[in-house]
Amino acid sequence: MYGRSDGAWDQLTGAGLKFLVERAQLRKVTTYTEMNSVLVQRTGLLGFDFERADERAAMGHLLGLIVERDYPDSKLMISALVHYLGANDAGPGFYALAQQLDLLPKGSSAMAKLEFWIGQVNSLHEFHARS
């Protein structure tokens, strides 16, 4: 999928989850750009080219895989810690996944989405501060 092997996705998912847990333990967030750089450094795999729509979609796919791996333990969406450079919230894929997981009602207002995202970030910081 997206030109990467199952093994590459597994490696990226593991490295991405580890990085996001580290960010949560520090009570910080990150950007897509920083996460991309860290993934390249930690895995040696080719990074995502955000100039291309399919590569942006691939990063969204990766964040979904990371949530899928982490959610059974945390009951939180760890991808909430990743936001656009220069923006102060999550991308649209985050909210779509939250709706798929029945964590956010479909048709939620912009304010409800923002409050949900802030709640996820704060809960992730609290959850991982104990680990």
Side-chain angles (χ1 to χ4, degrees):
M1 180 168 279
Y2 296 106
R4 291 169 173 85
S5 69
D6 289 345
W9 283 117
D10 190 54
Q11 194 176 354
L12 289 164
T13 301
L17 178 56
K18 185 175 189 295
F19 174 63
L20 292 178
V21 167
E22 291 166 1
R23 298 308 291 174
Q25 289 170 333
L26 294 170
R27 296 182 173 273
K28 295 192 179 276
V29 294
T30 190
T31 64
Y32 286 91
T33 304
E34 180 182 33
M35 181 158 182
N36 193 34
S37 295
V38 168
L39 290 171
V40 169
Q41 290 171 342
R42 292 187 180 186
T43 66
L45 296 171
L46 187 64
F48 296 90
D49 178 358
F50 296 135
E51 296 295 316
R52 294 177 38 190
D54 62 327
E55 289 286 292
R56 291 190 302 273
M59 175 60 91
H61 174 73
L62 173 61
L63 292 172
L65 292 173
I66 292 169
V67 168
E68 187 178 285
R69 186 174 290 184
D70 183 64
Y71 189 81
D73 293 328
S74 70
K75 301 296 186 236
L76 297 164
M77 292 182 64
I78 198 159
S79 64
L81 300 177
V82 184
H83 59 87
Y84 293 115
L85 192 60
N88 198 22
D89 76 342
F94 169 79
Y95 298 111
L97 182 56
Q99 290 172 346
Q100 287 175 7
L101 294 172
D102 290 326
L103 300 174
L104 182 69
K106 290 181 179 16
S108 292
S109 69
M111 182 56 73
K113 289 178 179 179
L114 185 61
E115 288 172 355
F116 173 76
W117 172 72
I118 291 168
Q120 289 289 300
V121 170
N122 289 336
S123 295
L124 285 158
H125 289 167
E126 288 301 316
F127 181 81
H128 288 289
R130 298 183 297 244
S131 58

